[in-house]
Amino acid sequence: MSECTHDCSSCGENCASRVEDFRKSLHEGASVKKVIAVVSGKGGVGKSLVTSLLASEMQRRGYNAAVLDADITGPSIPKSFGVTEHARGTEEYLLPVTTHTGLQLMSINLILENETEPVVWRGPVIAGAVTQFWTDVLWTDVDYMFVDLPPGTGDVPLTVFQSLPIDGVVIVTTPQDLVGMIVAKAVNMANMMNVPVLGLVENMSYFKCPDCGKEHAIFGESKVEQIAKEFGIGHTARLPIDPVIAAMVDAGEVESVSGEHIAALADYIEKGI
Protein backbone atom coordinates (compact mmCIF):
# COMPACT_ATOMS: atom_id res chain seq x y z
CA MET A 1 0.00 0.00 0.00
CA SER A 2 1.34 3.44 -0.92
CA GLU A 3 1.73 6.19 1.66
CA CYS A 4 -1.63 7.43 2.98
CA THR A 5 -2.71 10.86 1.70
CA HIS A 6 -5.59 11.04 4.24
CA ASP A 7 -7.96 11.42 1.27
CA CYS A 8 -10.25 8.45 1.81
CA SER A 9 -11.82 8.80 -1.63
CA SER A 10 -8.49 8.16 -3.34
CA CYS A 11 -8.12 4.48 -2.39
CA GLY A 12 -10.11 1.37 -1.64
CA GLU A 13 -8.75 0.70 1.86
CA ASN A 14 -11.28 0.35 4.66
CA CYS A 15 -9.44 2.29 7.35
CA ALA A 16 -12.39 2.23 9.73
CA SER A 17 -12.05 -1.53 10.06
CA ARG A 18 -8.51 -1.27 11.41
CA VAL A 19 -7.82 -0.09 14.96
CA GLU A 20 -4.16 0.72 15.49
CA ASP A 21 -2.66 -0.26 18.83
CA PHE A 22 -0.48 2.58 20.16
CA ARG A 23 0.28 0.94 23.50
CA LYS A 24 3.93 0.98 24.56
CA SER A 25 5.81 -1.87 26.19
CA LEU A 26 7.35 -1.74 29.61
CA HIS A 27 11.10 -1.89 29.99
CA GLU A 28 12.52 -5.40 29.94
CA GLY A 29 12.36 -6.72 33.49
CA ALA A 30 9.59 -4.34 34.60
CA SER A 31 6.19 -5.64 35.70
CA VAL A 32 2.87 -3.83 36.19
CA LYS A 33 -0.36 -5.81 36.51
CA LYS A 34 -3.15 -3.21 36.79
CA VAL A 35 -3.17 0.46 35.76
CA ILE A 36 -5.78 2.92 37.03
CA ALA A 37 -5.88 6.50 35.76
CA VAL A 38 -7.12 9.21 38.11
CA VAL A 39 -8.71 12.00 36.09
CA SER A 40 -10.67 15.21 36.43
CA GLY A 41 -12.34 17.59 34.05
CA LYS A 42 -10.83 20.63 35.75
CA GLY A 43 -7.96 21.50 38.05
CA GLY A 44 -7.95 22.09 41.77
CA VAL A 45 -10.33 19.28 42.74
CA GLY A 46 -7.84 17.12 44.68
CA LYS A 47 -6.94 14.56 42.04
CA SER A 48 -3.41 14.08 43.39
CA LEU A 49 -4.81 13.59 46.90
CA VAL A 50 -7.14 10.85 45.67
CA THR A 51 -4.30 9.22 43.72
CA SER A 52 -2.09 9.24 46.81
CA LEU A 53 -4.82 7.89 49.10
CA LEU A 54 -5.76 5.05 46.77
CA ALA A 55 -2.14 4.02 46.22
CA SER A 56 -1.41 4.18 49.95
CA GLU A 57 -4.50 2.09 50.73
CA MET A 58 -3.52 -0.64 48.28
CA GLN A 59 0.02 -0.67 49.67
CA ARG A 60 -1.45 -0.96 53.18
CA ARG A 61 -3.43 -4.00 52.03
CA GLY A 62 -0.26 -5.84 51.17
CA TYR A 63 -0.03 -5.09 47.45
CA ASN A 64 2.88 -3.49 45.64
CA ALA A 65 1.51 -0.09 44.63
CA ALA A 66 3.00 2.61 42.46
CA VAL A 67 2.22 6.16 41.33
CA LEU A 68 3.17 7.47 37.91
CA ASP A 69 2.91 11.26 38.19
CA ALA A 70 1.79 12.33 34.72
CA ASP A 71 1.12 15.92 35.80
CA ILE A 72 4.43 17.16 34.44
CA THR A 73 3.85 20.89 34.89
CA GLY A 74 2.25 20.58 38.33
CA PRO A 75 3.83 17.60 40.08
CA SER A 76 2.82 17.28 43.74
CA ILE A 77 3.13 13.55 44.35
CA PRO A 78 6.71 13.49 45.76
CA LYS A 79 5.92 16.18 48.34
CA SER A 80 2.76 14.37 49.45
CA PHE A 81 4.84 11.27 50.18
CA GLY A 82 7.73 13.18 51.75
CA VAL A 83 10.16 12.08 49.05
CA THR A 84 13.09 14.41 48.38
CA GLU A 85 15.73 12.13 46.86
CA HIS A 86 16.35 12.01 43.12
CA ALA A 87 15.62 9.07 40.86
CA ARG A 88 18.69 7.07 39.89
CA GLY A 89 19.40 4.96 36.84
CA THR A 90 21.63 4.15 33.94
CA GLU A 91 21.64 5.03 30.25
CA GLU A 92 19.14 2.21 29.75
CA TYR A 93 16.58 2.73 32.52
CA LEU A 94 15.41 4.77 35.52
CA LEU A 95 14.70 3.34 38.95
CA PRO A 96 11.55 4.53 40.72
CA VAL A 97 12.01 6.15 44.11
CA THR A 98 10.43 4.19 46.96
CA THR A 99 8.65 5.63 49.98
CA HIS A 100 9.16 4.39 53.54
CA THR A 101 6.37 1.82 53.01
CA GLY A 102 7.87 0.58 49.74
CA LEU A 103 5.45 2.33 47.40
CA GLN A 104 7.13 3.15 44.06
CA LEU A 105 7.04 6.67 42.60
CA MET A 106 8.12 8.40 39.41
CA SER A 107 7.65 12.12 38.88
CA ILE A 108 9.40 14.88 36.97
CA ASN A 109 10.33 16.44 40.33
CA LEU A 110 12.43 13.36 41.05
CA ILE A 111 14.55 14.20 38.02
CA LEU A 112 14.79 18.00 38.14
CA GLU A 113 17.79 19.48 39.92
CA ASN A 114 15.50 21.89 41.77
CA GLU A 115 11.89 20.94 42.55
CA THR A 116 10.75 24.55 42.07
CA GLU A 117 12.20 24.68 38.55
CA PRO A 118 9.33 25.25 36.09
CA VAL A 119 8.80 22.79 33.25
CA VAL A 120 8.32 25.06 30.25
CA TRP A 121 7.75 22.46 27.55
CA ARG A 122 5.30 22.17 24.70
CA GLY A 123 2.60 19.50 24.74
CA PRO A 124 4.30 16.82 22.61
CA VAL A 125 7.47 16.98 24.73
CA ILE A 126 5.44 16.66 27.94
CA ALA A 127 3.50 13.73 26.49
CA GLY A 128 6.79 12.09 25.49
CA ALA A 129 8.15 12.42 29.03
CA VAL A 130 5.04 10.71 30.42
CA THR A 131 5.45 7.85 27.95
CA GLN A 132 9.07 7.43 29.08
CA PHE A 133 7.91 7.14 32.69
CA TRP A 134 6.15 3.99 31.48
CA THR A 135 8.70 2.59 29.05
CA ASP A 136 12.02 3.58 30.66
CA VAL A 137 11.35 3.01 34.37
CA LEU A 138 12.16 -0.33 35.95
CA TRP A 139 8.88 -0.81 37.81
CA THR A 140 9.25 -3.83 40.11
CA ASP A 141 6.37 -6.31 40.52
CA VAL A 142 3.69 -3.61 40.70
CA ASP A 143 0.20 -4.93 41.46
CA TYR A 144 -1.61 -1.59 41.14
CA MET A 145 -0.27 1.50 39.41
CA PHE A 146 -2.18 4.76 39.80
CA VAL A 147 -1.54 7.42 37.15
CA ASP A 148 -2.08 10.99 38.33
CA LEU A 149 -3.20 12.80 35.19
CA PRO A 150 -3.31 16.56 34.60
CA PRO A 151 -6.83 17.97 34.36
CA GLY A 152 -8.79 18.05 31.13
CA THR A 153 -8.70 16.00 27.96
CA GLY A 154 -5.56 17.29 26.25
CA ASP A 155 -2.26 15.82 25.05
CA VAL A 156 -1.19 14.00 28.20
CA PRO A 157 -4.49 12.27 29.05
CA LEU A 158 -4.83 11.20 25.40
CA THR A 159 -1.24 9.90 25.38
CA VAL A 160 -1.80 7.93 28.59
CA PHE A 161 -5.05 6.39 27.35
CA GLN A 162 -3.41 5.38 24.07
CA SER A 163 0.05 4.35 25.31
CA LEU A 164 -0.67 2.59 28.62
CA PRO A 165 -2.91 -0.46 29.15
CA ILE A 166 -5.44 1.39 31.31
CA ASP A 167 -7.75 -0.98 33.19
CA GLY A 168 -10.07 1.73 34.48
CA VAL A 169 -10.41 5.35 35.55
CA VAL A 170 -11.41 7.09 38.76
CA ILE A 171 -12.96 10.53 38.27
CA VAL A 172 -12.48 13.24 40.91
CA THR A 173 -14.89 16.14 41.29
CA THR A 174 -16.32 18.64 43.82
CA PRO A 175 -19.89 19.53 44.84
CA GLN A 176 -20.36 22.70 42.73
CA ASP A 177 -23.20 22.95 40.20
CA LEU A 178 -20.96 22.79 37.14
CA VAL A 179 -19.65 19.32 37.96
CA GLY A 180 -22.20 17.57 35.76
CA MET A 181 -20.66 19.06 32.63
CA ILE A 182 -17.11 18.48 33.89
CA VAL A 183 -17.76 14.85 34.79
CA ALA A 184 -19.47 14.33 31.43
CA LYS A 185 -16.27 15.32 29.62
CA ALA A 186 -14.21 12.83 31.62
CA VAL A 187 -16.77 10.05 31.21
CA ASN A 188 -17.07 10.66 27.47
CA MET A 189 -13.30 10.54 27.02
CA ALA A 190 -13.14 7.25 28.93
CA ASN A 191 -15.92 5.88 26.74
CA MET A 192 -14.13 7.00 23.59
CA MET A 193 -11.06 5.10 24.75
CA ASN A 194 -13.13 2.03 25.75
CA VAL A 195 -11.97 2.28 29.36
CA PRO A 196 -14.43 1.59 32.21
CA VAL A 197 -15.12 4.23 34.87
CA LEU A 198 -14.47 2.51 38.20
CA GLY A 199 -15.70 5.22 40.52
CA LEU A 200 -16.51 8.86 41.18
CA VAL A 201 -14.89 10.65 44.13
CA GLU A 202 -16.36 13.90 45.44
CA ASN A 203 -13.62 15.82 47.24
CA MET A 204 -14.35 18.68 49.68
CA SER A 205 -17.79 17.14 50.01
CA TYR A 206 -18.46 18.40 53.54
CA PHE A 207 -16.87 19.73 56.72
CA LYS A 208 -17.54 17.86 59.95
CA CYS A 209 -17.57 20.11 63.00
CA PRO A 210 -15.10 18.75 65.56
CA ASP A 211 -17.24 20.08 68.41
CA CYS A 212 -20.80 18.98 67.56
CA GLY A 213 -20.14 16.40 64.84
CA LYS A 214 -22.56 18.03 62.39
CA GLU A 215 -21.68 17.95 58.70
CA HIS A 216 -21.72 21.25 56.81
CA ALA A 217 -21.89 21.42 53.00
CA ILE A 218 -19.42 24.28 52.48
CA PHE A 219 -19.51 24.12 48.67
CA GLY A 220 -23.13 23.06 48.31
CA GLU A 221 -25.02 19.86 48.82
CA SER A 222 -23.42 16.65 47.58
CA LYS A 223 -24.25 15.69 44.01
CA VAL A 224 -22.08 12.61 43.74
CA GLU A 225 -24.86 10.02 43.92
CA GLN A 226 -27.06 11.92 41.47
CA ILE A 227 -24.24 12.31 38.96
CA ALA A 228 -23.07 8.73 39.39
CA LYS A 229 -26.59 7.50 38.66
CA GLU A 230 -26.85 9.77 35.61
CA PHE A 231 -23.67 8.37 34.09
CA GLY A 232 -24.05 4.78 35.29
CA ILE A 233 -21.10 4.91 37.68
CA GLY A 234 -21.61 2.25 40.31
CA HIS A 235 -19.12 3.28 42.99
CA THR A 236 -18.68 6.61 44.77
CA ALA A 237 -16.74 8.13 47.64
CA ARG A 238 -16.96 11.41 49.54
CA LEU A 239 -13.89 13.08 51.03
CA PRO A 240 -14.33 15.74 53.72
CA ILE A 241 -12.64 19.09 54.14
CA ASP A 242 -10.28 18.08 56.93
CA PRO A 243 -7.43 20.33 58.18
CA VAL A 244 -5.74 17.28 59.71
CA ILE A 245 -5.54 15.52 56.33
CA ALA A 246 -4.28 18.72 54.69
CA ALA A 247 -1.56 19.12 57.32
CA MET A 248 -0.45 15.49 56.96
CA VAL A 249 -0.21 15.79 53.17
CA ASP A 250 1.75 19.05 53.47
CA ALA A 251 4.10 17.26 55.87
CA GLY A 252 4.67 14.43 53.39
CA GLU A 253 2.74 11.93 55.48
CA VAL A 254 -0.07 10.97 53.11
CA GLU A 255 0.65 7.28 53.71
CA SER A 256 -0.43 7.76 57.32
CA VAL A 257 -3.83 9.23 56.38
CA SER A 258 -6.70 6.85 57.11
CA GLY A 259 -8.19 5.21 54.05
CA GLU A 260 -11.68 5.00 55.57
CA HIS A 261 -13.26 7.38 53.08
CA ILE A 262 -12.03 5.52 49.99
CA ALA A 263 -12.07 1.99 51.45
CA ALA A 264 -15.21 0.89 49.60
CA LEU A 265 -13.82 2.13 46.28
CA ALA A 266 -10.53 0.38 47.02
CA ASP A 267 -12.52 -2.80 47.72
CA TYR A 268 -14.08 -2.57 44.27
CA ILE A 269 -10.75 -1.92 42.57
CA GLU A 270 -9.26 -4.87 44.45
CA LYS A 271 -12.06 -7.27 43.49
CA GLY A 272 -13.47 -5.79 40.32
CA ILE A 273 -10.57 -5.50 37.90
Side-chain angles (χ1 to χ4, degrees):
M1 176 179 167
S2 60
E3 185 176 353
C4 179
T5 64
H6 301 288
D7 178 6
C8 295
S9 64
S10 66
C11 74
E13 293 291 330
N14 182 11
C15 297
S17 66
R18 298 199 309 266
V19 178
E20 189 170 355
D21 189 350
F22 294 99
R23 286 180 296 182
K24 306 296 184 182
S25 299
L26 285 166
H27 194 282
E28 184 180 356
S31 173
V32 177
K33 294 176 183 175
K34 300 292 183 182
V35 184
I36 298 98
V38 182
V39 307
S40 65
K42 64 185 293 295
V45 299
K47 177 178 42 56
S48 296
L49 171 64
V50 172
T51 302
S52 302
L53 291 177
L54 283 171
S56 298
E57 178 65 14
M58 300 314 283
Q59 186 76 12
R60 205 157 30 230
R61 295 183 180 199
Y63 296 102
N64 290 327
V67 175
L68 190 161
D69 188 358
D71 196 350
I72 300 295
T73 59
S76 58
I77 292 296
K79 182 172 176 58
S80 298
F81 285 91
V83 171
T84 56
E85 66 181 285
H86 285 80
R88 297 175 293 106
T90 69
E91 292 182 358
E92 297 181 354
Y93 59 82
L94 277 171
L95 291 172
V97 173
T98 56
T99 68
H100 73 278
T101 68
L103 197 151
Q104 300 173 52
L105 305 178
M106 181 50 65
S107 170
I108 194 69
N109 266 12
L110 302 177
I111 298 174
L112 297 176
E113 195 169 314
N114 186 336
E115 67 175 13
T116 61
E117 181 182 338
V119 178
V120 189
W121 297 345
R122 294 193 182 275
V125 180
I126 293 174
V130 171
T131 302
Q132 287 185 287
F133 284 172
W134 173 256
T135 61
D136 295 0
V137 174
L138 206 56
W139 301 103
T140 304
D141 297 326
V142 174
D143 296 306
Y144 293 96
M145 172 181 283
F146 294 88
V147 183
D148 184 20
L149 286 171
T153 55
D155 281 348
V156 171
L158 180 60
T159 295
V160 168
F161 277 114
Q162 290 184 326
S163 301
L164 276 61
I166 304 296
D167 293 286
V169 302
V170 172
I171 300 174
V172 184
T173 185
T174 52
Q176 289 94 334
D177 283 335
L178 56 81
V179 296
M181 177 191 69
I182 299 302
V183 171
K185 290 180 181 291
V187 170
N188 289 336
M189 183 172 192
N191 290 340
M192 288 173 63
M193 298 294 142
N194 295 315
V195 177
V197 177
L198 302 176
L200 179 63
V201 179
E202 185 178 74
N203 190 28
M204 298 179 276
S205 186
Y206 60 91
F207 170 74
K208 188 172 184 178
C209 176
D211 296 323
C212 68
K214 183 178 179 180
E215 293 184 2
H216 299 272
I218 304 295
F219 294 111
E221 294 301 323
S222 174
K223 298 175 179 62
V224 67
E225 296 298 337
Q226 171 191 335
I227 292 172
K229 183 177 180 180
E230 180 181 348
F231 293 103
I233 302 171
H235 299 270
T236 62
R238 297 173 65 211
L239 298 183
I241 300 171
D242 189 336
V244 174
I245 293 178
M248 293 176 74
V249 172
D250 286 345
E253 299 173 359
V254 72
E255 289 172 291
S256 298
V257 176
S258 168
E260 61 179 311
H261 301 294
I262 48 88
L265 177 56
D267 287 343
Y268 177 67
I269 291 173
E270 184 178 13
K271 298 172 184 177
I273 64 171

